Amino acid sequence: MDPHLPAASTLGRALLRLTRGRATGTLNVRGPARGRLVLHAGKVVAVDLPGTTMLGELLAVDRDGHARALEGAPPSGPIGRWLVARQLAEAPAVAYALRRQMRARVTAMFRWPECELRFEPIAAALPALEEPVPVADLVLSALRGAVDAVPADAERRIRDGRWVVDAKAWATLEQAALFPEERAMLPVLLRGGTGADALALGAERPRALRALYAWQLVGLAQPNGASAGDARHQTLLRKRLALRRGLGAEALLDLQDDMRTEGSTDDGARAARERVRRLVRDVHPDRFDPRLHAACGEVLQALLTAQSRLRRP
């Protein structure tokens, strides 16, 4: 746990574990105040934190109309639905305000100096968000709000260390809306590299530094040591990223130094074919957890297509 933002590290890691396990229940959070997050199948559907901005304030509901509606028929269910039913707010505005409220409440908890957690595998009777915010987005949004600046000692550690984004972390980040500076760092982090190299790809912008610092807080970026993860997973993730970025066949097959479509030597062609053979072997679905088979099939098909194109005269 990072000493600078202990609550962010504790709560962020817990939320990511719960969403990976598709948990349903209530996560009670105790710190300077008491909050709770309700999850259904790994998605946060409600956040309760006393003393924070109320939904009506975010919507700027007409006070006189609200008072008259309360006199006629007080709400007996979720306040958002009641406001829509009484024509005091539009449904899209309510959905947007609920997301703002949820992000603000989780960010407030991430800023606490400390927190204690207790998970109860029974959903509480709190108003549910009909279209839940992805937990990855919720956690990253809260981290961005909680990390105002990176302490000098942490920045040195981030720059000098070697970091890797493993398969589980990539599955989380892939679901989130990332800023360009954040996404730019992924090629280095997927293969495991120094923080300095990753930040250089992020154009040395403060947002990139804050993101890499935040990711290591919650375990999305981990120290790249001998046990940092299976190299095959990193190969699969790098190739999938290259595929998503629309890179050419040579980049996808790692052939820039060994082979060209024209004028390659016999030794270079042989080395290239051997590299392709190993690459296809390393991303074969039989080597991975069934949950990664779809990604394996996508990358394997693209590799074979790229290989066939390079063989054409």
Side-chain angles (χ1 to χ4, degrees):
M1 184 174 67
D2 192 280
H4 299 293
L5 287 170
S9 180
T10 300
L11 181 53
R13 289 173 184 266
L15 284 172
L16 293 176
R17 284 197 301 271
L18 290 170
T19 192
R20 287 168 185 153
R22 296 181 56 79
T24 294
T26 300
L27 181 63
N28 295 284
V29 187
R30 182 175 180 177
R34 294 192 180 189
R36 52 181 176 169
L37 298 94
V38 180
L39 294 96
H40 178 75
K43 296 180 179 179
V44 176
V45 296
V47 180
D48 183 31
L49 183 62
T52 53
T53 305
M54 303 302 291
L55 184 62
E57 296 173 314
L58 291 173
L59 287 167
V61 172
D62 175 65
R63 291 182 179 274
D64 293 336
H66 185 255
R68 289 193 297 272
L70 283 174
E71 292 175 0
S76 58
I79 186 65
R81 295 176 188 171
W82 181 83
L83 290 171
V84 172
R86 295 296 178 274
Q87 298 184 344
L88 294 170
E90 298 290 334
V94 169
Y96 177 65
L98 284 169
R99 282 166 174 73
R100 285 180 58 199
Q101 184 186 61
M102 181 180 289
R103 289 190 175 98
R105 288 176 173 179
V106 176
T107 299
M109 295 183 207
F110 271 47
R111 285 180 172 273
W112 287 351
E114 60 183 1
C115 70
E116 296 178 2
L117 306 179
R118 187 181 77 257
F119 182 71
E120 299 176 348
I122 301 175
L126 286 175
L129 191 61
E130 293 182 358
E131 297 179 9
V133 177
V135 172
D137 272 330
L138 191 61
V139 169
L140 292 185
S141 173
L143 285 169
R144 293 179 188 123
V147 178
D148 296 318
V150 179
D153 60 329
E155 180 175 351
R156 287 193 295 271
R157 175 169 54 83
I158 292 293
R159 289 185 177 278
D160 295 342
R162 298 185 66 86
W163 305 93
V164 64
V165 169
D166 65 14
K168 288 191 298 184
W170 169 241
T172 298
L173 290 171
E174 194 177 29
Q175 300 171 22
L178 300 179
F179 288 114
E181 301 94 326
E182 296 172 340
R183 190 166 294 279
M185 295 190 291
L186 288 176
V188 166
L189 297 175
L190 287 173
R191 68 172 180 264
T194 66
D197 287 342
L199 293 171
L201 289 183
E204 292 291 345
R205 292 180 179 168
R207 179 180 283 168
L209 176 60
R210 289 196 300 269
L212 186 50
Y213 172 64
W215 293 355
Q216 62 86 34
L217 274 180
V218 295
L220 292 173
Q222 301 180 40
N224 186 22
S227 60
D230 190 334
R232 289 195 300 271
H233 282 82
Q234 305 311 315
T235 298
L236 174 64
L237 298 178
R238 288 200 310 273
K239 296 311 166 190
R240 193 179 188 198
L241 181 63
L243 181 61
R244 295 291 174 88
R245 294 171 66 194
L247 298 184
E250 292 186 354
L252 192 65
L253 296 172
D254 284 340
L255 300 181
Q256 296 93 325
D257 298 328
D258 292 331
M259 178 178 173
R260 295 294 183 267
T261 54
E262 297 181 31
S264 57
T265 65
D266 289 342
D267 289 343
R270 255 193 310 274
R273 285 193 294 272
E274 176 59 22
R275 177 175 290 188
V276 172
R277 188 188 67 78
R278 290 197 306 268
L279 185 57
V280 170
R281 177 200 63 197
D282 287 345
V283 300
H284 196 279
D286 289 348
R287 293 180 172 269
F288 292 90
D289 185 282
R291 290 173 294 182
L292 292 174
H293 283 182
C296 293
E298 180 184 351
V299 172
L300 186 59
Q301 182 178 358
L303 289 173
L304 294 175
T305 301
Q307 182 183 19
S308 67
R309 288 176 181 170
L310 287 177
R311 286 176 174 171
R312 293 173 186 170

